[in-house]
Amino acid sequence: MSDTIDIMTELEEFQDRVYWLVEQVPEGQVATYGQIATYAGSARAARAVGNLMRTSWTKHGEIPWWRIINAAGKISLKGDLHRPTLQKELLEAEGVQFSAAGRCKLEEIRWSPDSDFWIIE
DNA sequence: TTAGTGACTGCAT
DNA sequence: CATGCAGCCACTA
């Protein structure tokens, strides 16, 4: 019984962690779905992270959802038709540049948890 | 509780 | 590079 409760708790925490992590990504930097999934505790839940961004980005106005892109350094084009355009505009407004192929230099602007990440409880 | 779904990812072609 | 494909996982109805 406590097992079931623990599992449910973990799932809820995963979701909350994802939102929290996304909030940590600073302006001008980006993070990948897989990255967020990893730091949230489930390295292979990248797809699930994408789902969370898809289903509730409008409900979390404080979350910089546009700073989350795919591992190829590109903006995911699936789903909503207008969101990709808006996402690109928002990122470019922060100084993120995209190649003609729609790819940004992930190696240079990828966010990584620094000291304060571990200090915050 | 089960089955379907998708803003993903790494590897092969 | 661009596609295709199978594996993965949390969310939802």
Side-chain angles (χ1 to χ4, degrees):
Chain A
M1 79 122 194
S2 61
D3 290 341
T4 302
I5 296 179
D6 289 340
I7 292 174
M8 292 183 73
T9 300
E10 278 187 40
L11 291 175
E12 290 175 6
E13 287 185 355
F14 175 77
Q15 185 173 208
D16 292 336
R17 286 177 183 172
V18 168
Y19 292 138
W20 183 80
L21 286 162
V22 175
E23 287 178 46
Q24 309 313 304
V25 183
E27 183 179 320
Q29 291 195 309
V30 298
T32 66
Y33 299 97
Q35 218 184 323
I36 296 300
T38 298
Y39 296 136
S42 188
R44 301 172 193 179
R47 206 165 185 176
V49 171
N51 272 330
L52 290 179
M53 293 297 101
R54 175 176 64 78
T55 62
S56 53
W57 63 277
T58 54
K59 303 175 184 175
H60 300 266
E62 306 302 311
I63 297 180
W65 55 270
W66 59 90
R67 298 188 186 133
I68 309 304
I69 61 179
N70 61 40
K74 297 180 179 178
I75 289 174
S76 292
L77 302 177
K78 297 182 180 179
D80 184 86
L81 202 55
H82 303 297
R83 188 266 314 164
T85 303
L86 172 60
Q87 184 166 13
K88 187 166 182 286
E89 292 179 347
L90 289 169
L91 286 174
E92 294 184 317
E94 299 184 346
V96 178
Q97 304 185 318
F98 293 89
S99 68
R103 188 181 61 194
C104 71
K105 296 187 176 181
L106 200 49
E107 321 73 46
E108 300 177 9
I109 62 175
R110 175 188 226 124
W111 169 72
S112 63
D114 42 28
S115 54
D116 40 324
F117 172 93
W118 302 105
I119 294 177
I120 298 176
E121 171 57 23

